[in-house]
Amino acid sequence: MGGAHDAGLKRVDIISDTHGLLSPELLSALEGADLIIHAGDITSEADWEHLRTLAPIKAVLGNNDHYYDYGSAVVALNRFSFEGLEFAVAHYREDLPVGSVDVAICGHTHRARVVELGRCTVINPGSASYPRGMRGPTIARLMVRAGEIHSLEVIDL
């Protein structure tokens, strides 16, 4: 059979800017994630609760989230360790502490982008619901283990 878990890899699915819409394609893509990261603009307490049933989740507040109550776990800047990697998540790129983490994740632009800055991988997964530009809805997927990124891809939904 084989697969990610057989190799000890963990799957991190990264989403942003869902703005109250969790499409069937998005929910299908998230099945089997070991961790979901949401880079802000959830704009739905019901969607937040739904995402929490799929996998452990780390999230931040976006510029449209301030009237919603997701609990104390959803903050402006979320720093944490997962599988030996240091992560930082913020809605805005300029709020990320790029020099002090391995993986920095932002949203807001609704456009997928991956940039290597020194030892830091900066990821914007685009918008899973309301993309801008020519590309359709996207998420990012990391496969990680023991402090290393084994793969990173932007997935078109």
Side-chain angles (χ1 to χ4, degrees), residues 110-147:
H110 296 230
R111 296 172 191 266
R113 188 157 187 237
V114 176
V115 179
E116 298 290 335
L117 292 175
R119 70 174 188 91
C120 183
T121 302
V122 181
I123 303 167
N124 184 327
S127 174
S129 305
Y130 298 101
R132 294 180 184 145
M134 299 302 290
R135 192 169 189 171
T138 53
I139 68 170
R141 177 169 292 157
L142 284 173
M143 299 302 289
V144 300
R145 178 181 58 216

Side-chain angles (χ1 to χ4, degrees), residues 67-98:
Y67 299 105
Y68 299 92
D69 181 10
Y70 308 117
S72 61
V74 183
V75 292
L77 175 64
N78 197 337
R79 291 184 71 147
F80 59 93
S81 297
F82 183 76
E83 287 296 305
L85 291 166
E86 293 298 316
F87 285 79
V89 186
H91 192 57
Y92 297 111
R93 163 66 184 84
E94 54 269 23
D95 293 337
L96 292 170
V98 171

Side-chain angles (χ1 to χ4, degrees), residues 11-18 26 30 33-42 48 51-52 54-60 78-82 85-91 96 103-107 123-126 128 138-142 144:
R11 192 178 106 201
V12 180
D13 284 352
I14 304 166
I15 62 176
S16 189
D17 297 284
T18 51
L26 172 60
L30 294 174
D34 292 297
L35 177 68
I36 296 170
I37 297 173
H38 197 303
D41 280 352
I42 306 165
W48 170 244
L51 289 168
R52 290 177 58 188
L54 302 177
I57 185 168
K58 301 284 188 178
V60 295
N78 197 337
R79 291 184 71 147
F80 59 93
S81 297
F82 183 76
L85 291 166
E86 293 298 316
F87 285 79
V89 186
H91 192 57
L96 292 170
V103 182
I105 296 165
C106 61
I123 303 167
N124 184 327
T138 53
I139 68 170
R141 177 169 292 157
L142 284 173
V144 300

